[in-house]
Amino acid sequence: MSINRFSVPREIIYGENAIKRLAELRGKRTAIVTGGNSMRRFGFLDRIQTLLTEAGMESIIIDGVEPNPSVATVHRGAKSMIAFEPDWIVAIGGGSALDAAKVMWCFYEHPQISFEDIIAVGSMPPLRNKARFVAIPSTSGSASEITAFSVITDTEKHIKYPIVSSDIVPDIAILDPEIPEYMPAHVTANTGMDVMTHALEAYASIAATSFTDPYAVEAIRLVFANIETAYKEPHNKAARFNMHNASALAGMAFTNASLGLVHSLAHKIGGEFGVTHGLANAILLPYIIRFNRQFTQKYEQLERLLDIDNIAQEVSTLNSKLNIPNCFRECSEVKFDESLFRDVLQHMSENAHADPCTLTNPGKPSVEDVKAIYMAAFYGQE
């Protein structure tokens, strides 16, 4: 019997006004990392700076993290941190802001290393020599506030790299359900289906255990029960609270059980075409569930637990209710040119097969399997 490990943030603060925990931090300087303008526009950056001032700390804002955070962005943020010397890093925003802040943190503490030095799983050097980390998600999706994962894009190679290290699990996760109330409907849908994907992949993972399964199952249950309401009624506090918690619960499951082919394929097609990660996951998920059923009985177990007939069909039906397309060819978010898709299909399949998430997918999928799944999910084939 192998020895396993289960890790989550040391402290998870959740519920209305959870953000006030920031006023209790102790230190001198804080670097706040965020994405575009939404957190500023809705007043959350001002509130954070006010709370940090109450805690007796100076702060700077590192903003402009793009939806698919790049290597250049994390180096830019690290450079600002090196100059400011924060002893806390507070990341607020979607998964991209949180992911970028994690790797900025690494380069702040270890400026001598390169991005290539941390690509291999577990290769990141120890952190917390200079700063500690607080994560405040604005979307109910990535669960970056809970996990040992960060996804960074090499824009020159068009590849998304999942960075995996137990050291980048945040010290404090703050889950305040007021913050995701301001997500647009399509972001609620895409990030919510990211939660579903995290939970389903963690549950089917060959590294799943009796520690991770309960978190995954509860997250799946909460998404099925709440995502439509959150999508249609953005200020429904109960739905937002439940979706925010579902995201964190799914994160607890997958950061310890890892993921599978959905994320492997989503990482690479996102790197090639720029499609939003949650949307790519949502489109791919039913196809990969159908593929994986030949290697695992976990889906049958889940169907019995949830009293449903076919989990892949339930996911497809939910996608339809959230206006998520059935296949990439029908996707309007970015242009999916068929000739370009066929041009990149082989090397995209090879890169997806080599993704670390493939290692914990049920069975032993081949590059040809990955290629066939891409084809099915592009054209909408069974």
Side-chain angles (χ1 to χ4, degrees):
M1 183 179 294
S2 62
I3 296 175
N4 298 299
R5 174 177 178 161
F6 188 88
S7 63
V8 295
R10 180 181 175 188
E11 188 176 10
I12 302 171
I13 310 297
Y14 61 102
E16 199 167 354
N17 292 317
I19 199 172
K20 290 184 177 180
R21 171 67 176 84
L22 292 174
E24 301 172 21
L25 298 182
R26 294 294 173 260
K28 295 180 179 179
R29 287 178 293 276
T30 300
I32 303 166
V33 180
T34 191
N37 294 318
S38 61
M39 292 299 95
R40 188 186 302 277
R41 187 167 69 251
F42 296 121
F44 293 114
L45 288 185
D46 286 343
R47 284 178 62 185
I48 286 175
Q49 289 195 295
T50 298
L51 290 165
L52 292 172
T53 299
E54 290 177 22
M57 285 195 278
E58 297 178 58
S59 61
I60 61 166
I61 294 173
I62 301 169
D63 57 9
V65 175
E66 60 269 63
N68 292 309
S70 65
V71 176
T73 292
V74 298
H75 280 303
R76 171 176 62 83
K79 185 176 180 180
S80 295
M81 291 180 187
I82 291 166
F84 187 63
E85 297 184 340
D87 37 28
W88 283 97
I89 297 166
V90 174
I92 180 168
S96 58
L98 275 55
D99 282 5
K102 288 176 174 180
V103 181
M104 290 176 190
W105 182 21
C106 172
F107 292 140
Y108 164 50
E109 298 214 355
H110 302 280
Q112 76 283 0
I113 67 174
S114 68
F115 181 71
E116 288 71 24
D117 292 331
I118 63 170
I119 290 174
V121 174
S123 60
M124 185 179 289
L127 302 180
R128 294 172 180 81
N129 304 298
K130 298 178 181 178
R132 286 181 288 170
F133 193 95
V134 180
I136 309 172
S138 66
T139 61
S140 304
S142 76
S144 187
E145 74 277 7
I146 297 292
T147 72
F149 286 73
S150 170
V151 180
I152 304 297
T153 300
D154 184 324
T155 54
E156 293 183 1
K157 296 179 180 178
H158 300 285
I159 297 176
K160 287 186 176 183
Y161 289 99
I163 306 301
V164 187
S165 170
S166 59
D167 264 41
I168 60 175
V169 176
D171 296 281
I172 301 172
I174 295 178
L175 311 178
D176 192 319
E178 180 186 356
I179 301 174
E181 285 184 31
Y182 298 91
M183 280 192 291
H186 74 281
V187 178
T188 296
N190 294 344
T191 57
M193 291 309 295
D194 198 13
V195 177
M196 180 69 87
T197 305
H198 290 154
L200 280 167
E201 290 218 283
Y203 189 72
S205 166
I206 63 171
T209 69
S210 56
F211 276 79
T212 61
D213 278 356
Y215 292 102
V217 171
E218 179 64 1
I220 294 163
R221 188 191 69 79
L222 285 170
V223 174
F224 272 128
N226 292 278
I227 191 171
E228 284 184 78
T229 303
Y231 177 70
K232 295 174 181 177
E233 304 171 27
H235 297 291
N236 185 307
K237 292 189 181 297
R240 289 298 189 188
F241 176 77
N242 287 329
M243 284 301 299
H244 227 30
N245 289 355
S247 178
L249 292 167
M252 292 182 203
F254 88 77
T255 199
N256 290 284
S258 193
L259 294 161
L261 275 181
V262 180
H263 275 75
S264 297
L265 273 68
H267 289 155
K268 306 318 173 192
I269 201 166
E272 290 288 349
F273 292 93
V275 61
T276 301
H277 176 68
L279 178 57
N281 278 344
I283 293 171
L284 287 161
L285 182 57
Y287 297 95
I288 291 173
I289 291 173
R290 295 184 188 109
F291 172 79
N292 282 347
R293 289 192 84 113
Q294 62 189 307
F295 305 113
T296 180
Q297 296 182 343
K298 293 294 288 283
Y299 299 115
E300 293 176 22
Q301 295 173 17
L302 183 63
E303 287 159 354
R304 288 195 294 270
L305 284 170
L306 299 178
D307 193 25
I308 59 177
D309 293 328
N310 186 305
I311 187 68
Q313 185 56 51
E314 291 292 332
V315 169
S316 293
T317 299
L318 188 55
N319 278 343
S320 179
K321 291 177 179 178
L322 300 173
N323 291 313
I324 290 172
N326 177 58
C327 61
F328 288 111
R329 190 168 60 169
E330 296 174 0
C331 181
S332 60
E333 182 190 69
V334 297
K335 183 179 179 181
F336 276 96
D337 180 84
E338 183 175 3
S339 61
L340 177 59
F341 171 75
R342 288 185 170 275
D343 286 345
V344 302
L345 179 60
Q346 183 62 38
H347 83 254
M348 187 169 66
S349 300
E350 291 169 358
N351 289 337
H353 184 263
D355 190 284
C357 295
T358 303
L359 295 172
T360 44
N361 194 79
K364 294 183 178 180
S366 66
V367 172
E368 287 304 307
D369 291 328
V370 172
K371 189 175 179 179
I373 294 167
Y374 268 138
M375 291 283 288
F378 187 85
Y379 291 104
Q381 300 165 343
E382 284 294 327

